[in-house]
Structures are given as structure tokens and as C-alpha cells.
């Protein structure tokens, strides 16, 4: 029983950490886009937002495959 609780605690902390990192990366990308800087800054901004979207999709795929064991 205790190992199951520790497993859920680790999953919850990992999910919170991943969500925070994705949120920070998406926010950084939006700031790069909104600053009206050079083309390289805008490209980096769209790259950050794209990576954030792909990471969220990857997280959903991981959770979906873990659910169907």
C-alpha cells in the first residue's frame, strides 16, 4: 500500500514539474514573439511554442499507454 502511495506521489510531482516546464517554455516563446524583435527571436519564439505543444502531445501519449496496461 505504501509503495502505491509513493508511486502516485512521484507521478504527481513529475506531472507538476513537467507542466511547469512546458508553461515556462510556452511563456518564453510568447515573449519572444511579442517583443517585435528580429526574425531570429520570432523564429525562436515559434520554436518554443511548437516544442511545448509537442511535449504536451507526448505527455498525453505516455499517459494513454500507461493507462492501457
Amino acid at each position: 500500500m505504501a509503495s502505491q502511495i509513493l508511486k502516485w506521489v512521484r507521478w504527481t510531482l513529475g506531472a507538476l514539474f513537467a507542466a511547469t516546464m512546458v508553461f515556462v517554455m510556452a511563456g518564453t516563446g510568447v515573449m519572444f514573439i511579442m517583443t517585435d524583435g528580429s526574425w531570429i527571436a520570432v523564429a525562436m519564439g515559434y520554436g518554443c511554442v511548437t516544442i511545448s505543444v509537442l511535449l504536451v502531445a507526448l505527455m498525453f501519449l505516455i499517459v494513454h499507454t500507461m493507462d492501457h496496461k
Side-chain angles (χ1 to χ4, degrees):
M1 185 65 164
S3 66
Q4 186 70 19
I5 293 172
L6 286 175
K7 182 175 140 182
W8 279 104
V9 168
R10 284 193 305 253
W11 271 95
T12 304
L13 290 176
L16 286 172
F17 182 72
T20 302
M21 292 300 108
V22 168
F23 181 75
V24 167
M25 184 179 291
T28 302
V30 169
M31 285 193 300
F32 272 127
I33 294 168
M34 299 293 285
T35 56
D36 197 32
S38 63
W39 65 271
I40 192 74
V42 173
M44 285 174 32
Y46 281 114
C48 286
V49 171
T50 302
I51 290 171
S52 297
V53 170
L54 291 174
L55 282 174
V56 169
L58 179 65
M59 284 186 245
F60 276 115
L61 284 171
I62 290 170
V63 169
H64 180 70
T65 57
M66 293 297 288
D67 190 33
H68 291 296
K69 270 186 161 178

